[in-house]
Amino acid sequence: MAQKADSTETVSLLFIGDIMGHYAQINAALDTTTGEYNFDRTFRKVSPLIQKADFAIANLEVTLAGAPYSGHPRFSSPDELALAAKESGIDILLTANNHASDYNLNGIKRTINVLDSIDVRHTGTFLDKAHKDSSNLMIMEKGSIRIGLLNYTESTNGRKVPKPAIVNLMDTTAMQKDIDKALAKNLDKLVVFLHWGIEYDSAPSKSQRMTAGFLFRKGVDIIIGAHPHVIQPMEFIPAKDGSKQQFIAYSLGNFVSDQRTRKRDGGAMVEITISKTKNISEITDYGYHLTWVNKPIIKGRRSYEVLVCKDYEDSDFKGLTEFSKNRMKRFIKDSRALLDSLNINVKEK
């Protein structure tokens, strides 16, 4: 679609961290009277924010390998988890992560087939080489704006990727080939979403920084990270002396999980707006939203719900128990202490 010479178009992207599926979450979603699973409550209170974005992208850190369901260390969640994510407004689920091979070939194939069946876009794992060739680069289009998305993982927990399936691994030679192909597709921006880093470490590793430098040098504009299960810093580097804008969020932390220890019970959603005027595309707005996982007792049973921290701060934490209020406040304080001191040009929304 051609752009009018004097008009400005925009597209908004929302990046979401790890959607986990610990057994306690699976159990909480079970309706014991019908035997059916429902994860809608998990997403309900954060859904209005997700739905505002033109494209919401999250890491699906489970397989949809079918029953019997399981949590850590080999994840197989009910299909209803992905369905609830879709219904909340999440458009794209990324599948290249360290648990991608948890249930071997069946796990990879069934995850892909379920996502296809509920019409959720995905990338990161593939049925075979032909499937990867046709769908490795995801292009998000709005008007004349074209944003490319690639997804890779640092490991598969030592599990071999079963042939003919493919899991995108963080191999610099392969990534460079993919980036070169992507940049030939008339993109306005290219995003790479990586599953990397050291678990539970709030600082990016030397390896993460080296990989980020490599990707930026090769032409990537935005890097989003997950896997450490805690938040890591974010940076926005303006264009200067012929260089391009660069945005990186090293780790978004947990979106939803049953991890309850300090700093692991929440995460950050990163919001980026890209504007295009006279065929020039720029990142014009960016920031993050802190989210925290509440575990209320509903009708005598434990439940899980992702809450937007600012909403609860603004209402003096109305509706939370004293325990939950104190835990959310601790998460907010820890997260802001980290991000306010180490972020470069990236503020909370």
Side-chain angles (χ1 to χ4, degrees):
M1 183 186 295
Q3 184 190 22
K4 294 179 181 177
D6 57 348
S7 68
T8 296
E9 295 178 90
T10 64
V11 62
S12 59
L13 310 175
L14 185 71
F15 296 99
I16 298 166
D18 298 329
I19 297 177
M20 304 293 293
H22 291 107
Y23 191 74
Q25 295 168 253
I26 296 170
N27 190 49
L30 175 64
D31 184 328
T32 53
T33 59
T34 65
E36 295 178 349
Y37 291 87
N38 188 316
F39 292 86
D40 291 350
R41 180 174 290 278
T42 295
F43 299 90
R44 188 174 299 155
K45 291 183 178 177
V46 74
S47 180
L49 184 54
I50 294 172
Q51 291 184 7
K52 285 182 181 178
D54 292 315
F55 295 96
I57 303 109
N59 170 51
L60 182 66
E61 197 157 353
V62 299
T63 66
L64 305 173
Y69 304 120
S70 61
H72 188 268
R74 295 174 68 207
F75 288 98
S76 178
S77 288
D79 303 349
E80 287 83 358
L81 177 62
L83 187 61
K86 176 192 175 178
E87 291 179 347
S88 76
I90 293 173
D91 303 286
I92 297 162
L93 289 170
L94 302 176
T95 54
N97 57 66
N98 58 310
H99 291 285
S101 291
D102 277 4
Y103 280 86
N104 305 314
L105 185 60
N106 174 66
I108 294 172
K109 288 174 64 175
R110 195 176 183 283
T111 301
I112 289 168
N113 291 335
V114 169
L115 295 179
D116 285 344
S117 74
I118 63 173
D119 200 25
V120 170
R121 298 178 71 189
H122 56 89
T123 187
T125 60
F126 310 94
L127 300 174
D128 52 32
K129 184 179 183 300
H131 183 216
K132 177 176 175 174
D133 289 346
S134 68
S135 55
N136 185 33
L137 174 68
M138 179 173 295
I139 299 179
M140 299 173 281
E141 292 188 81
K142 183 186 175 192
S144 73
I145 303 177
R146 290 165 53 87
I147 311 296
L149 175 64
L150 294 165
N151 175 218
Y152 303 90
T153 182
E154 201 166 38
S155 83
T156 53
N157 287 348
R159 294 183 179 278
K160 291 183 70 173
V161 178
K163 295 179 179 180
I166 296 171
V167 175
N168 270 354
L169 297 174
M170 283 172 52
D171 172 86
T172 52
T173 303
M175 289 194 294
Q176 180 166 352
K177 286 181 181 176
D178 291 346
I179 291 165
D180 290 344
K181 286 181 184 176
L183 295 177
K185 297 288 188 181
N186 193 31
L187 300 175
D188 291 283
K189 296 291 178 186
L190 178 59
V191 181
V192 173
F193 197 118
L194 299 172
H195 208 75
W196 63 349
I198 300 169
E199 286 190 318
Y200 318 127
D201 195 334
S202 297
S205 66
K206 181 180 178 182
S207 173
Q208 281 173 279
R209 291 192 177 278
M210 288 178 62
T211 301
F214 166 80
L215 293 172
F216 282 137
R217 287 193 302 274
K218 297 304 176 185
V220 174
D221 302 286
I222 297 167
I223 300 171
I224 306 292
H227 173 64
H229 302 300
V230 294
I231 296 172
Q232 293 181 344
M234 310 165 190
E235 302 171 5
F236 174 76
I237 310 301
K240 183 182 178 183
D241 300 330
S243 67
K244 299 200 299 179
Q245 295 173 316
Q246 298 173 355
F247 184 99
I248 184 166
Y250 281 99
S251 172
L252 300 180
N254 285 328
F255 179 71
V256 63
S257 78
D258 191 45
Q259 294 188 338
R260 305 309 293 169
T261 49
R262 193 165 185 165
K263 301 182 182 180
R264 303 182 202 175
D265 51 350
M269 301 196 302
V270 163
E271 188 177 333
I272 297 175
T273 299
I274 295 163
S275 301
K276 184 173 183 178
T277 307
K278 296 180 180 178
N279 292 319
I280 302 296
S281 299
E282 295 182 305
I283 297 171
T284 51
D285 192 23
Y286 48 91
Y288 64 90
H289 305 270
L290 295 176
T291 60
W292 182 76
V293 182
N294 191 29
K295 288 179 62 175
I297 301 292
I298 308 291
K299 295 181 180 177
R301 296 194 64 204
R302 181 67 66 190
S303 189
Y304 289 77
E305 56 183 15
V306 180
L307 308 179
V308 180
C309 293
K310 196 82 168 57
D311 292 349
Y312 281 80
E313 270 190 315
D314 291 346
S315 68
D316 197 27
F317 302 95
K318 184 179 179 181
L320 295 183
T321 64
E322 196 66 20
F323 177 82
S324 293
K325 172 183 172 180
N326 290 334
R327 286 297 180 94
M328 180 189 271
K329 288 174 78 171
R330 185 181 73 176
F331 173 76
I332 293 170
K333 184 178 179 181
D334 286 344
S335 300
R336 288 183 181 152
L338 174 79
L339 300 177
D340 289 351
S341 63
L342 295 181
N343 275 14
I344 298 175
N345 300 321
V346 184
K347 303 292 186 186
E348 188 173 358
K349 283 283 192 179

